Amino acid sequence: QVQLVESGGGLVQPGGSLRLSCAASGNIFSNNYMGWYRQAPGKERELVASIAISGSSRGTLNYADSVKGRFTISRDSAKNTVYLQMNSLKPEDTAVYYCNYGTRSYGGTLSPPVGRWGQGTQVTVSS
């Protein structure tokens, strides 16, 4: 079973930055994307960023419109870790952030993530 451990969250003022990390253990080779998700209180969990990790589209990045230009997803293959650099944070970015993985079509469609949801890491943006 693949284990996912998120870290890096915290309290930050609007306009500040945080970098989240997701360390994965186990074999995720059969999956071809990793993504960052978030869930705010009373809201549905949403995908905010993804990176293709296998196949011909390896390295392709995608972002939710709400975070484009502010967030950057990246991956260190050697460390089996995916990162989310979050800049220009806004109060509406406040949420619990999770990472997960799954399959991605050539057209970019992401199947629902297959990993077990972990505890996530809390990001709070407030003055």
Side-chain angles (χ1 to χ4, degrees):
Q1 182 182 3
V2 174
Q3 302 289 326
L4 301 170
V5 180
E6 301 98 339
S7 63
L11 174 64
V12 65
Q13 293 186 324
S17 298
L18 287 171
R19 189 173 83 152
L20 308 184
S21 298
C22 172
S25 62
N27 186 8
I28 60 172
F29 182 79
S30 62
N31 302 288
N32 61 10
Y33 82 87
M34 295 195 72
W36 281 99
Y37 301 76
R38 68 185 181 188
Q39 187 169 27
K43 305 293 184 180
E44 296 289 333
R45 183 183 288 115
E46 62 175 342
L47 177 68
V48 298
S50 67
I51 180 169
I53 61 173
S54 64
S56 61
S57 298
R58 184 178 179 181
T60 298
L61 311 175
N62 290 101
Y63 300 94
D65 288 342
S66 60
V67 307
K68 284 182 179 178
R70 300 188 298 118
F71 291 10
T72 303
I73 187 171
S74 62
R75 182 170 183 261
D76 186 332
S77 298
K79 296 181 178 180
N80 208 24
T81 300
V82 65
Y83 304 94
L84 186 67
Q85 178 67 47
M86 305 185 295
N87 298 325
S88 301
L89 283 161
K90 304 175 180 180
E92 51 263 43
D93 295 319
T94 296
V96 178
Y97 284 71
Y98 305 86
C99 64
N100 215 311
Y101 57 92
T103 58
R104 181 184 185 275
S105 74
Y106 283 112
T109 300
L110 305 184
S111 296
V114 299
R116 179 182 295 275
W117 297 107
Q119 296 299 306
T121 185
Q122 176 72 49
V123 172
T124 302
V125 185
S126 176
S127 298

